[in-house]
């Protein structure tokens, strides 16, 4: 069973956008699990822990923790929600995966087929 690290943009000035991103990544993580992947979704874990443990929300805080998980995963899957290409966290996760020779795949919430490169129509 492949261990997937599921990257997605999260932080946004609009709480409704953050909620949409949280809900979407959780649905996609569950869908990937139904397809036979073991999935680590840092947003799924960190948002809940941030709320109950009063932890910071910044990439600077989560970078070290997420890097430990990412280095143990077989593949990085980038969920291309609006803002993924501008997300500091997602771009850092891509660079960490490249530096550690972890294959990177790109998906949309509607198309869970893995693509080695982002679709051209997506920023």
């Amino acid at each position: 069973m492949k261990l997937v690290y599921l990257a997605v943009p999260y932080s946004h000035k609009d709480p409704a956008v953050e909620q949409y991103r949280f809900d979407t990544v959780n649905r996609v993580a569950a869908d990937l699990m139904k397809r036979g992947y073991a999935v680590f979704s840092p947003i799924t874990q960190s948002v809940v822990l941030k709320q109950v443990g009063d932890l910071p929300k910044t990439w600077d805080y989560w970078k070290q923790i997420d890097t430990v998980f990412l280095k143990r995963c077989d593949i990085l899957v980038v969920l291309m929600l609006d803002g993924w290409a501008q997300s500091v966290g997602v771009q850092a996760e891509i660079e960490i995966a490249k530096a550690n020779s972890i294959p990177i795949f790109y998906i949309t919430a509607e198309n869970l087929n893995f693509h080695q490169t982002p679709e051209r129509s997506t920023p």
Side-chain angles (χ1 to χ4, degrees):
M1 179 178 285
K2 295 284 186 185
L3 180 55
V4 171
Y5 182 105
L6 184 56
V8 64
Y10 175 69
S11 296
H12 196 277
K13 61 184 175 189
D14 183 349
V17 172
E18 287 185 343
Q19 187 63 50
Y20 168 77
R21 290 172 174 179
F22 180 74
D23 293 343
T24 302
V25 75
N26 290 331
R27 181 182 55 78
V28 168
D31 287 349
L32 290 173
M33 291 174 80
K34 288 177 187 175
R35 292 171 178 240
Y37 296 96
V39 178
F40 174 71
S41 171
I43 296 303
T44 300
Q45 177 177 337
S46 64
V47 169
V48 173
L49 292 175
K50 180 190 82 56
Q51 291 170 347
V52 299
D54 194 31
L55 298 171
K57 170 170 131 170
T58 64
W59 172 247
D60 286 338
Y61 178 80
W62 291 99
K63 179 180 181 177
Q64 185 176 1
I65 297 164
D66 290 349
T67 298
V68 169
F69 283 104
L70 179 52
K71 286 182 176 181
R72 286 168 173 75
C73 289
D74 299 306
I75 59 177
L76 168 64
V77 174
V78 177
L79 178 55
M80 298 186 302
L81 297 183
D82 285 342
W84 76 270
Q86 296 79 29
S87 168
V88 171
V90 172
Q91 294 310 307
E93 290 161 329
I94 290 170
E95 291 307 313
I96 293 164
K98 286 178 182 178
N100 290 278
S101 301
I102 299 168
I104 304 167
F105 295 90
Y106 299 84
I107 62 173
T108 65
E110 300 76 31
N111 182 357
L112 299 184
N113 295 318
F114 294 174
H115 302 283
Q116 283 287 137
T117 57
E119 298 170 8
R120 296 207 184 270
S121 62
T122 304

